[in-house]
Amino acid sequence: ASLFLSERSNLAGVRHILLVLSGKGGVGKSTISTQLALALRHSGKKVGILDVDLCGPSIPRMLRAQDSDVHQCDSGWVPVFVDQEKSISLMSIGFLLEKPDDAVVWRGPKKNALIKQFVADVAWGDLDFLIVDTPPGTSDEHISTMEALRPYKPLGAVLVTTPQAVSVGDVRRELTFCRKTGTQVLGIVENMSGFVCPHCSECTNIFSVGGGEELAKHTGVPFLGCVPLDPQLSQSLEEGRDFIQEFPKSSAFSALAHIAQEILVRASQQSC
């Protein structure tokens, strides 16, 4: 009973929970999660990020918060605020490791227990959106995350793929997983969709093209857009800078802004 009360009180102020999923590693879920958070913040929203990618917690670095510490309060862990306005808060296992290079060599039950603790014991306060960045695949961690969040009726999931058929096939399996677990799919994002030349801004399709859009069409799921490989975006993530603020003329910016707008529309529809 006490655990349920703790969960209820810590997520009571969160209006919308958004999962970022993919059946494959290396497609840029953490990048999309981070940029979505920044785009929603620039739309005036208060955002939290829950990084449950336990073996690859990269978001603290992407938001230049890797040297921060997590503190305790009466209702649990206090998330790390990544900006002075306290409009983006973050919780990640990266903050709990003694050394940044420590590997998380844990069996499933220990990982699952930590995910449940992340959901129950982080004092988020009032948030418009909680973005949950997940590990690749449809593993134990996914099931634990879905089960822990199901009572709070998540807004839905954004599925991230790259254009190649191999990636799209893995994301198709993730789509099946969402349907089996009753998770609404808000749409598919095709990441790394072409390369934007930093000199002439021409976009070249170094991978194949259109796999994500084709998958969306075949499965009846909305297609949220293509985010190109952009050196400015990569540099921003490496240096923990706000790409959304610094590069408004980039084609990646317009793609990310469109995806955030689609999420806002869906959230407003759910609130009606």
Side-chain angles (χ1 to χ4, degrees), residues 100-115:
D101 293 336
D102 283 353
V104 179
V105 187
W106 293 355
R107 291 189 183 275
K110 193 171 180 182
K111 289 181 181 177
N112 298 341
L114 181 64
I115 288 169

Side-chain angles (χ1 to χ4, degrees), residues 53-57 93-106:
D53 190 351
L54 302 184
C55 296
I93 195 174
F95 299 134
L96 307 178
L97 301 175
E98 286 187 21
K99 300 173 186 172
D101 293 336
D102 283 353
V104 179
V105 187
W106 293 355

